[in-house]
Amino acid sequence: MEELIRMLRSEGCSLVVSNGGTVRTFWGWGVSDLHRLWREEPEFLQGASLADKVVGKGAAALMIVGGVKEVFAGVVSEPALGLFRQSAVKVSYDVKTAGINNRSNTGRCPLETLCGPCATVEDCLPLIDRFVQGLRQQDGRFEG
């Protein structure tokens, strides 16, 4: 995990995932890379260790359903930690916050807001799918 954290910090990426001796780095917005991995390469997440800059409730749900075994977050929200407590995922972090803010720091992250009322990972998943699909349609930067 120490190497993943070092890479996250030194390479300026948003996500580092390690599984089976393969380490991959990602620079996508929000949960785009994590969502794509869960949908297109679920075997890479299963049993993986990962380091992520910011983990909100939506990202936590994807990590849990993906079968990630260990997570480091630079920043993690209390709602995300609530989901992790219901799972077997080992979590460490630098900073815990009440919630994740949006990119412009003018309010809450829209995905954190959408997933807020959800009690389980399963409740979050359809909301995350619709959110990511909507962003892909409106913003070419949110590839995935």
Side-chain angles (χ1 to χ4, degrees):
M1 183 56 77
E2 289 179 25
E3 179 63 14
L4 301 183
I5 296 168
R6 185 198 64 73
M7 290 176 72
L8 183 73
R9 292 175 176 154
S10 68
E11 296 185 22
C13 51
S14 57
L15 176 67
V16 182
V17 183
S18 174
N19 198 347
T22 301
V23 177
R24 292 170 58 187
T25 53
F26 301 89
W27 284 265
W29 286 43
V31 298
S32 63
D33 294 318
L34 194 55
H35 186 267
R36 185 175 50 245
L37 283 172
W38 173 58
R39 284 294 186 201
E40 298 175 10
E41 301 177 64
E43 68 284 350
F44 190 64
L45 285 179
Q46 189 66 42
S49 297
L50 64 82
D52 196 328
K53 276 187 171 179
V54 179
V55 177
K57 194 169 185 178
L62 291 171
M63 292 170 189
I64 294 165
V65 75
V68 171
K69 74 172 183 177
E70 182 178 22
V71 172
F72 166 81
V75 176
V76 66
S77 72
E78 290 175 4
L81 287 173
L83 278 186
F84 282 130
R85 284 186 204 103
Q86 300 174 30
S87 75
V89 179
K90 179 182 172 191
V91 181
S92 61
Y93 54 88
D94 283 336
V95 176
K96 175 176 71 170
T97 185
I100 303 301
N101 285 340
N102 62 24
R103 292 191 179 281
S104 59
N105 222 15
T106 57
R108 289 279 182 225
C109 162
L111 190 54
E112 183 96 336
T113 300
L114 276 175
C115 293
C118 297
T120 68
V121 169
E122 292 76 18
D123 294 339
C124 294
L125 298 178
L127 300 175
I128 297 167
D129 278 337
R130 282 193 298 271
F131 178 79
V132 170
Q133 187 67 5
L135 286 177
R136 287 184 185 144
Q137 291 172 355
Q138 75 182 40
D139 190 345
R141 294 175 298 181
F142 203 94
E143 296 292 320

